[in-house]
Amino acid sequence: MIKVEHLDKTFGSLKALHDINLQVNQGDIISLIGPSGSGKSTLLRCIHGLEKADSGNIYLNGELMNPADKAKYAELRKKMGFVFQHFNLFNNKTVLENCMLAQITVAGKSPQDAEATAMDYLEKVGLSDKRDAYPSKLSGGQKQRVAIARALCMHPELMLFDEPTSALDPEMIKEVLEVMKELGRHGMTMIVVTHEMGFARKVGNRVVFLENGRIIEENTSEEFFTNPQSDRAKDFLSKVFYD
């Protein structure tokens, strides 16, 4: 599915990613966790192409994602859906229009087909009744579910989530995580930057723990949470799960 080889990324004098190597297989639900500033979001953005890596390679289904080959690069990026921390919905468009726009402008669908697909995914996230609402009339949890539906409308093979619940009130987090759990149950491959340890432990099948732009530890979710191998991971978990 996704293979990352020797990825490096620098912002000015800050080395954001150091020699990152990662393999994501079909059906994996990978949780990227670690302290703030560890490089989690930067790694996700490099995989999707929102940030350009300084060196290293990324492969999707065995095909090199090469920004220099613009047409091929654009086609590969279409296979990945991205859900942002702050929703990134168009406030001047309705829920339905938000879900139709990329289908028409990027995928070249007819408005009729785009609307049918949009309504299908809005139904799946429980928001078909909000089709004509504007984002300003939605709760944070509803906005994020619209953002997930919008990404799914492009029929991605891989979903990337960048801290999808961190901007939500606590009571709204569950509704978004339930949608993500349902995606996982249907076999969607996902890479999730998250501070939700319960999700990482119970829904994700693998954990990648980063600090200072390096992968410190990678393991199954069960092994990582019950038997962390590195001292840094042990320290991190002791602070997350305090008595």
Side-chain angles (χ1 to χ4, degrees), residues 45-82:
R45 292 173 69 86
C46 284
I47 289 172
H48 188 265
L50 294 170
E51 297 284 356
K52 186 176 182 297
D54 298 330
S55 60
N57 293 314
I58 299 170
Y59 299 87
L60 177 60
N61 296 330
E63 296 186 86
L64 176 64
M65 295 190 65
N66 179 12
D69 186 347
K70 293 182 179 180
K72 185 63 173 292
Y73 191 59
E75 285 301 312
L76 291 173
R77 290 188 70 209
K78 288 180 187 177
K79 298 180 180 182
M80 295 184 280
F82 200 103

Short mmCIF file of all heavy atoms in Angstrom, two decimals, residues 45-82:
data_model
loop_
_atom_site.label_atom_id
_atom_site.label_comp_id
_atom_site.label_asym_id
_atom_site.label_seq_id
_atom_site.Cartn_x
_atom_site.Cartn_y
_atom_site.Cartn_z
N ARG A 45 1.60 14.78 6.15
CA ARG A 45 1.50 15.74 5.06
C ARG A 45 2.49 15.41 3.93
O ARG A 45 2.20 15.66 2.76
CB ARG A 45 1.72 17.15 5.59
CG ARG A 45 0.58 17.63 6.49
CD ARG A 45 0.90 18.96 7.15
NE ARG A 45 0.92 20.05 6.18
CZ ARG A 45 -0.16 20.73 5.80
NH1 ARG A 45 -1.34 20.44 6.31
NH2 ARG A 45 -0.06 21.71 4.92
N CYS A 46 3.64 14.87 4.28
CA CYS A 46 4.60 14.45 3.25
C CYS A 46 4.06 13.26 2.46
O CYS A 46 4.23 13.18 1.23
CB CYS A 46 5.94 14.10 3.88
SG CYS A 46 6.94 15.52 4.38
N ILE A 47 3.41 12.32 3.15
CA ILE A 47 2.84 11.17 2.47
C ILE A 47 1.80 11.62 1.44
O ILE A 47 1.77 11.14 0.31
CB ILE A 47 2.21 10.18 3.49
CG1 ILE A 47 3.32 9.48 4.30
CG2 ILE A 47 1.35 9.14 2.78
CD1 ILE A 47 2.82 8.65 5.45
N HIS A 48 0.97 12.58 1.83
CA HIS A 48 -0.09 13.04 0.93
C HIS A 48 0.41 13.99 -0.14
O HIS A 48 -0.23 14.16 -1.17
CB HIS A 48 -1.19 13.72 1.74
CG HIS A 48 -2.41 14.07 0.93
ND1 HIS A 48 -2.60 15.30 0.36
CD2 HIS A 48 -3.49 13.31 0.58
CE1 HIS A 48 -3.76 15.29 -0.29
NE2 HIS A 48 -4.32 14.11 -0.18
N GLY A 49 1.56 14.63 0.10
CA GLY A 49 2.09 15.58 -0.86
C GLY A 49 1.78 17.03 -0.53
O GLY A 49 2.08 17.93 -1.31
N LEU A 50 1.18 17.27 0.65
CA LEU A 50 0.95 18.64 1.10
C LEU A 50 2.26 19.32 1.49
O LEU A 50 2.36 20.54 1.48
CB LEU A 50 -0.03 18.65 2.27
CG LEU A 50 -1.45 18.19 1.94
CD1 LEU A 50 -2.26 18.01 3.21
CD2 LEU A 50 -2.13 19.18 1.02
N GLU A 51 3.23 18.52 1.87
CA GLU A 51 4.61 18.99 2.10
C GLU A 51 5.53 18.18 1.21
O GLU A 51 5.28 16.99 0.98
CB GLU A 51 5.03 18.82 3.56
CG GLU A 51 4.24 19.61 4.57
CD GLU A 51 4.61 21.09 4.59
OE1 GLU A 51 5.54 21.48 3.87
OE2 GLU A 51 3.94 21.83 5.31
N LYS A 52 6.57 18.81 0.71
CA LYS A 52 7.53 18.11 -0.14
C LYS A 52 8.75 17.72 0.70
O LYS A 52 9.39 18.57 1.34
CB LYS A 52 7.97 19.02 -1.29
CG LYS A 52 8.87 18.35 -2.31
CD LYS A 52 9.18 19.29 -3.46
CE LYS A 52 10.05 18.61 -4.51
NZ LYS A 52 11.38 18.22 -3.99
N ALA A 53 9.03 16.45 0.73
CA ALA A 53 10.19 15.96 1.47
C ALA A 53 11.49 16.43 0.84
O ALA A 53 11.56 16.66 -0.38
CB ALA A 53 10.16 14.43 1.54
N ASP A 54 12.52 16.60 1.66
CA ASP A 54 13.82 17.00 1.15
C ASP A 54 14.52 15.84 0.45
O ASP A 54 15.23 16.03 -0.54
CB ASP A 54 14.70 17.52 2.29
CG ASP A 54 14.12 18.76 2.95
OD1 ASP A 54 13.43 19.53 2.26
OD2 ASP A 54 14.35 18.95 4.15
N SER A 55 14.33 14.64 1.00
CA SER A 55 14.94 13.45 0.40
C SER A 55 14.14 12.23 0.83
O SER A 55 13.33 12.29 1.75
CB SER A 55 16.41 13.30 0.82
OG SER A 55 16.51 13.19 2.24
N GLY A 56 14.40 11.13 0.14
CA GLY A 56 13.66 9.90 0.41
C GLY A 56 12.57 9.68 -0.62
O GLY A 56 12.30 10.53 -1.48
N ASN A 57 11.94 8.52 -0.56
CA ASN A 57 10.92 8.14 -1.53
C ASN A 57 9.66 7.65 -0.83
O ASN A 57 9.72 7.09 0.26
CB ASN A 57 11.43 7.03 -2.46
CG ASN A 57 12.54 7.51 -3.37
OD1 ASN A 57 12.45 8.59 -3.97
ND2 ASN A 57 13.60 6.72 -3.47
N ILE A 58 8.53 7.87 -1.50
CA ILE A 58 7.25 7.35 -1.04
C ILE A 58 6.62 6.59 -2.21
O ILE A 58 6.58 7.09 -3.34
CB ILE A 58 6.30 8.48 -0.59
CG1 ILE A 58 6.93 9.25 0.58
CG2 ILE A 58 4.94 7.92 -0.19
CD1 ILE A 58 6.19 10.52 0.95
N TYR A 59 6.16 5.37 -1.93
CA TYR A 59 5.53 4.53 -2.95
C TYR A 59 4.09 4.25 -2.54
O TYR A 59 3.81 3.96 -1.37
CB TYR A 59 6.28 3.21 -3.10
CG TYR A 59 7.71 3.34 -3.54
CD1 TYR A 59 8.74 3.53 -2.60
CD2 TYR A 59 8.07 3.27 -4.89
CE1 TYR A 59 10.05 3.66 -3.00
CE2 TYR A 59 9.39 3.40 -5.29
CZ TYR A 59 10.38 3.60 -4.34
OH TYR A 59 11.69 3.73 -4.73
N LEU A 60 3.18 4.32 -3.50
CA LEU A 60 1.80 3.93 -3.29
C LEU A 60 1.49 2.77 -4.23
O LEU A 60 1.61 2.92 -5.46
CB LEU A 60 0.86 5.11 -3.57
CG LEU A 60 -0.65 4.81 -3.46
CD1 LEU A 60 -1.01 4.32 -2.06
CD2 LEU A 60 -1.47 6.03 -3.83
N ASN A 61 1.16 1.64 -3.64
CA ASN A 61 0.92 0.42 -4.42
C ASN A 61 2.07 0.12 -5.37
O ASN A 61 1.88 -0.27 -6.53
CB ASN A 61 -0.39 0.53 -5.20
CG ASN A 61 -1.60 0.62 -4.29
OD1 ASN A 61 -1.60 0.08 -3.19
ND2 ASN A 61 -2.63 1.32 -4.73
N GLY A 62 3.29 0.34 -4.87
CA GLY A 62 4.49 0.03 -5.65
C GLY A 62 4.91 1.09 -6.64
O GLY A 62 5.95 0.95 -7.30
N GLU A 63 4.13 2.16 -6.77
CA GLU A 63 4.44 3.22 -7.73
C GLU A 63 5.05 4.41 -7.00
O GLU A 63 4.52 4.89 -6.01
CB GLU A 63 3.19 3.65 -8.48
CG GLU A 63 2.59 2.57 -9.35
CD GLU A 63 1.43 3.08 -10.19
OE1 GLU A 63 1.70 3.60 -11.30
OE2 GLU A 63 0.29 2.98 -9.74
N LEU A 64 6.17 4.90 -7.53
CA LEU A 64 6.87 6.02 -6.92
C LEU A 64 6.04 7.29 -7.05
O LEU A 64 5.59 7.65 -8.14
CB LEU A 64 8.22 6.22 -7.60
CG LEU A 64 9.05 7.44 -7.13
CD1 LEU A 64 9.44 7.30 -5.66
CD2 LEU A 64 10.27 7.62 -8.01
N MET A 65 5.86 7.98 -5.92
CA MET A 65 5.21 9.28 -5.94
C MET A 65 6.27 10.34 -6.20
O MET A 65 6.98 10.78 -5.30
CB MET A 65 4.49 9.53 -4.61
CG MET A 65 3.33 8.57 -4.37
SD MET A 65 2.33 9.04 -2.94
CE MET A 65 1.65 10.62 -3.50
N ASN A 66 6.38 10.71 -7.46
CA ASN A 66 7.42 11.63 -7.90
C ASN A 66 6.79 12.97 -8.30
O ASN A 66 6.13 13.06 -9.34
CB ASN A 66 8.16 11.02 -9.10
CG ASN A 66 9.25 11.93 -9.62
OD1 ASN A 66 9.62 12.91 -8.98
ND2 ASN A 66 9.78 11.60 -10.78
N PRO A 67 6.99 14.02 -7.50
CA PRO A 67 6.38 15.32 -7.82
C PRO A 67 6.78 15.86 -9.19
O PRO A 67 6.05 16.68 -9.77
CB PRO A 67 6.89 16.23 -6.69
CG PRO A 67 7.24 15.31 -5.57
CD PRO A 67 7.74 14.06 -6.23
N ALA A 68 7.93 15.43 -9.70
CA ALA A 68 8.37 15.92 -11.00
C ALA A 68 7.48 15.40 -12.13
O ALA A 68 7.37 16.04 -13.18
CB ALA A 68 9.83 15.50 -11.25
N ASP A 69 6.87 14.23 -11.92
CA ASP A 69 5.93 13.67 -12.90
C ASP A 69 4.53 14.12 -12.48
O ASP A 69 3.79 13.40 -11.81
CB ASP A 69 6.04 12.15 -12.92
CG ASP A 69 5.21 11.51 -14.02
OD1 ASP A 69 4.36 12.22 -14.61
OD2 ASP A 69 5.39 10.30 -14.27
N LYS A 70 4.17 15.34 -12.85
CA LYS A 70 3.00 16.00 -12.28
C LYS A 70 1.70 15.24 -12.52
O LYS A 70 0.86 15.13 -11.63
CB LYS A 70 2.90 17.43 -12.82
CG LYS A 70 4.03 18.34 -12.35
CD LYS A 70 3.86 19.76 -12.86
CE LYS A 70 4.99 20.65 -12.35
NZ LYS A 70 4.84 22.04 -12.84
N ALA A 71 1.53 14.72 -13.72
CA ALA A 71 0.28 14.03 -14.04
C ALA A 71 0.14 12.75 -13.21
O ALA A 71 -0.92 12.49 -12.62
CB ALA A 71 0.22 13.71 -15.52
N LYS A 72 1.19 11.96 -13.16
CA LYS A 72 1.15 10.70 -12.41
C LYS A 72 1.02 10.99 -10.91
O LYS A 72 0.28 10.29 -10.18
CB LYS A 72 2.42 9.89 -12.69
CG LYS A 72 2.43 8.51 -12.05
CD LYS A 72 1.30 7.65 -12.60
CE LYS A 72 1.41 6.22 -12.10
NZ LYS A 72 2.58 5.53 -12.64
N TYR A 73 1.73 12.00 -10.46
CA TYR A 73 1.69 12.37 -9.05
C TYR A 73 0.27 12.76 -8.64
O TYR A 73 -0.23 12.36 -7.58
CB TYR A 73 2.65 13.54 -8.81
CG TYR A 73 2.93 13.89 -7.37
CD1 TYR A 73 3.47 12.96 -6.50
CD2 TYR A 73 2.68 15.17 -6.88
CE1 TYR A 73 3.75 13.28 -5.18
CE2 TYR A 73 2.95 15.51 -5.57
CZ TYR A 73 3.50 14.56 -4.73
OH TYR A 73 3.77 14.89 -3.42
N ALA A 74 -0.39 13.54 -9.48
CA ALA A 74 -1.77 13.97 -9.19
C ALA A 74 -2.71 12.77 -9.14
O ALA A 74 -3.60 12.71 -8.28
CB ALA A 74 -2.24 14.97 -10.24
N GLU A 75 -2.51 11.81 -10.02
CA GLU A 75 -3.37 10.62 -10.04
C GLU A 75 -3.18 9.79 -8.77
O GLU A 75 -4.15 9.28 -8.20
CB GLU A 75 -3.07 9.76 -11.27
CG GLU A 75 -3.63 10.33 -12.56
CD GLU A 75 -5.15 10.50 -12.52
OE1 GLU A 75 -5.84 9.54 -12.11
OE2 GLU A 75 -5.62 11.59 -12.88
N LEU A 76 -1.94 9.66 -8.33
CA LEU A 76 -1.68 8.89 -7.11
C LEU A 76 -2.25 9.58 -5.89
O LEU A 76 -2.80 8.93 -4.99
CB LEU A 76 -0.17 8.65 -6.95
CG LEU A 76 0.47 7.70 -7.96
CD1 LEU A 76 1.99 7.70 -7.81
CD2 LEU A 76 -0.08 6.28 -7.80
N ARG A 77 -2.15 10.90 -5.85
CA ARG A 77 -2.68 11.65 -4.70
C ARG A 77 -4.19 11.51 -4.59
O ARG A 77 -4.74 11.56 -3.49
CB ARG A 77 -2.30 13.12 -4.79
CG ARG A 77 -0.81 13.40 -4.59
CD ARG A 77 -0.55 14.88 -4.50
NE ARG A 77 -1.09 15.45 -3.26
CZ ARG A 77 -1.52 16.70 -3.13
NH1 ARG A 77 -1.50 17.51 -4.18
NH2 ARG A 77 -1.98 17.13 -1.98
N LYS A 78 -4.87 11.34 -5.72
CA LYS A 78 -6.32 11.18 -5.70
C LYS A 78 -6.74 9.92 -4.95
O LYS A 78 -7.89 9.81 -4.51
CB LYS A 78 -6.87 11.10 -7.12
CG LYS A 78 -6.86 12.42 -7.89
CD LYS A 78 -7.42 12.20 -9.29
CE LYS A 78 -7.28 13.42 -10.16
NZ LYS A 78 -7.75 13.19 -11.55
N LYS A 79 -5.82 8.98 -4.81
CA LYS A 79 -6.15 7.73 -4.13
C LYS A 79 -6.09 7.85 -2.61
O LYS A 79 -6.37 6.88 -1.91
CB LYS A 79 -5.20 6.62 -4.61
CG LYS A 79 -5.32 6.33 -6.10
CD LYS A 79 -4.38 5.23 -6.54
CE LYS A 79 -4.52 4.97 -8.05
NZ LYS A 79 -3.63 3.88 -8.50
N MET A 80 -5.70 9.06 -2.13
CA MET A 80 -5.60 9.29 -0.69
C MET A 80 -6.57 10.39 -0.27
O MET A 80 -6.60 11.46 -0.86
CB MET A 80 -4.16 9.69 -0.32
CG MET A 80 -3.14 8.60 -0.56
SD MET A 80 -1.49 9.09 0.01
CE MET A 80 -0.98 10.11 -1.36
N GLY A 81 -7.35 10.10 0.75
CA GLY A 81 -8.21 11.12 1.34
C GLY A 81 -7.54 11.71 2.57
O GLY A 81 -6.86 11.01 3.31
N PHE A 82 -7.72 13.02 2.78
CA PHE A 82 -7.07 13.70 3.90
C PHE A 82 -8.13 14.43 4.71
O PHE A 82 -8.92 15.21 4.15
CB PHE A 82 -6.03 14.70 3.38
CG PHE A 82 -5.00 15.10 4.41
CD1 PHE A 82 -3.73 14.57 4.38
CD2 PHE A 82 -5.31 16.01 5.42
CE1 PHE A 82 -2.77 14.94 5.32
CE2 PHE A 82 -4.37 16.39 6.36
CZ PHE A 82 -3.09 15.84 6.31
#
